[in-house]
């Protein structure tokens, strides 16, 4: 039996780092505001772009890619505006959510056309490398019209990577991919980010973002609601108690002791341990070992229960 590969087969070439900057960016259509006063900086690494439908994610990506002009503010790549500046496409690749592939072409022909549009010195070699990166070698000569949605998506990613861009923007890149294809694409994005490329991808599946990147940009109703590592964002939400699962050698005695701790707002004793609500994350995690030691109790498990990306996202959307 042949083992499944989850790592990209091809070596990712070294990249020169680039930075995308948005300063006070807004975009409106008549009376409808799609993006409202967004400021962010994207540097090397992988960042997830999150938000409910209609939050402005696609509009934001299209402004970053130079497809849309900001109604207000500036979008720059390494200090150069992306709007009406074809030169930025030497450093930037985009995979939009809407499919735009010619079904009568093969994957090789489609990616080769992209390589030739970029006027690469050796378009054939660049095409082979890009197709190998997305593991499409075995189907590269078949017509795209015979592909599954996941295969078409990988072909589009190859076309966006053919010129080794320093910045890659992907709108829902995992759409239509099976579990194996998802694993491979996640590994590829990790490799690209670790190599120094700036990767921004949007996804409506929180688990995908959590597995690929801890760093997020969260859009809600056209505004940037939060930015950074989602665990840090959660710990800064002082208006919501932090929930911990705690197991110890004497849960009942520990529950009584914790109720006297100022940072604890509630303790529930269950069959599998304690559920503790704490208003101050740092104060509680510092106090717990001290309290346990004082009462001769050994803590066997301490797990934050609402520090997942799903919890953070739901709190931000509800705010």
């Amino acid at each position: 039996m042949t083992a499944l590969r989850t790592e990209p087969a091809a070596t990712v070439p070294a990249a020169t780092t680039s930075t995308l900057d948005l300063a006070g960016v807004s975009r409106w259509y008549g009376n409808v505001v799609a993006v409202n006063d967004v400021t962010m900086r994207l540097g090397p690494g992988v960042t997830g772009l999150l938000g409910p439908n209609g939050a402005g994610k696609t509009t934001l990506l299209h402004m970053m890619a130079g497809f849309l002009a900001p109604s207000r503010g500036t979008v720059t790549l390494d200090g150069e505006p992306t709007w009406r500046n074809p030169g930025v496409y030497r450093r930037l690749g985009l995979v939009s959510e809407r499919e735009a592939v010619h079904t009568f072409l093969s994957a090789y022909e489609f990616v080769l056309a992209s390589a030739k549009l970029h006027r690469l010195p050796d378009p054939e070699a660049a095409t082979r490398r890009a197709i190998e990166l997305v593991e499409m070698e075995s189907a590269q000569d078949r017509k795209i019209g015979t592909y599954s949605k996941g295969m078409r998506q990988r072909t589009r990613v190859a076309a966006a990577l053919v010129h080794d861009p320093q910045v890659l923007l992907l709108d829902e890149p995992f759409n239509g991919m099976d579990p194996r294809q998802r694993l491979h694409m996640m590994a590829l994005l990790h490799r690209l980010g670790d190599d120094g490329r700036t990767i921004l991808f949007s996804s409506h599946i929180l688990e995908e973002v959590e597995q690929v990147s801890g760093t997020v940009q969260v859009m809600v109703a056209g505004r940037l609601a939060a930015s950074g590592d989602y665990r840090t964002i959660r710990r800064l939400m002082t208006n919501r108690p932090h929930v911990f699962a705690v197991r110890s050698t004497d849960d009942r005695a520990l529950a009584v002791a914790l109720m006297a701790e100022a940072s604890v707002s509630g303790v529930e004793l269950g069959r599998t341990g304690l559920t503790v609500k704490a208003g101050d994350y740092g104060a509680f995690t510092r106090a717990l070992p001290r309290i346990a030691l004082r009462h001769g109790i050994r803590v066997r498990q301490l797990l934050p229960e609402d520090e997942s990306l799903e919890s953070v996202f739901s709190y931000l959307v509800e705010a």
Side-chain angles (χ1 to χ4, degrees), residues 29-111:
Y29 302 91
N31 294 326
V32 177
V33 179
V35 173
N36 192 355
D37 195 26
V38 170
T39 296
M40 70 170 71
R41 165 168 281 201
L42 298 172
V46 184
T47 301
L49 181 63
L50 287 173
N53 289 337
K57 303 187 300 297
T58 296
T59 299
L60 198 67
L61 284 166
H62 284 181
M63 286 191 288
M64 291 178 181
F67 287 4
L68 285 174
S71 302
R72 179 186 297 158
T74 59
V75 182
T76 58
L77 174 59
D78 297 329
E80 298 179 28
T82 58
W83 175 244
R84 289 184 175 174
N85 184 7
V88 301
Y89 297 116
R90 288 191 293 269
R91 288 165 284 157
L92 186 148
L94 172 70
V95 179
S96 60
E97 183 179 14
R98 184 178 298 175
E99 286 197 22
V101 289
H102 301 292
T103 56
F104 58 87
L105 296 176
S106 67
Y108 184 88
E109 292 167 336
F110 182 77
V111 178

Side-chain angles (χ1 to χ4, degrees), residues 151-174:
M151 294 171 72
R152 292 196 298 270
Q153 193 79 325
R154 285 189 287 157
T155 299
R156 296 168 67 229
V157 172
L161 285 172
V162 74
H163 60 299
D164 290 334
Q166 289 86 33
V167 177
L168 185 62
L169 307 175
L170 306 107
D171 199 356
E172 299 285 353
F174 302 107

Side-chain angles (χ1 to χ4, degrees), residues 46-50 199-203 209 212-218:
V46 184
T47 301
L49 181 63
L50 287 173
I199 313 292
L200 180 70
F201 75 99
S202 73
S203 176
V209 180
V212 177
S213 174
T215 304
V216 295
Q217 306 283 344
V218 183

Side-chain angles (χ1 to χ4, degrees), residues 305-316:
E305 286 204 323
D306 66 340
E307 204 173 86
S308 67
L309 180 56
E310 183 176 0
S311 296
V312 172
F313 182 69
S314 65
Y315 292 160
L316 290 168

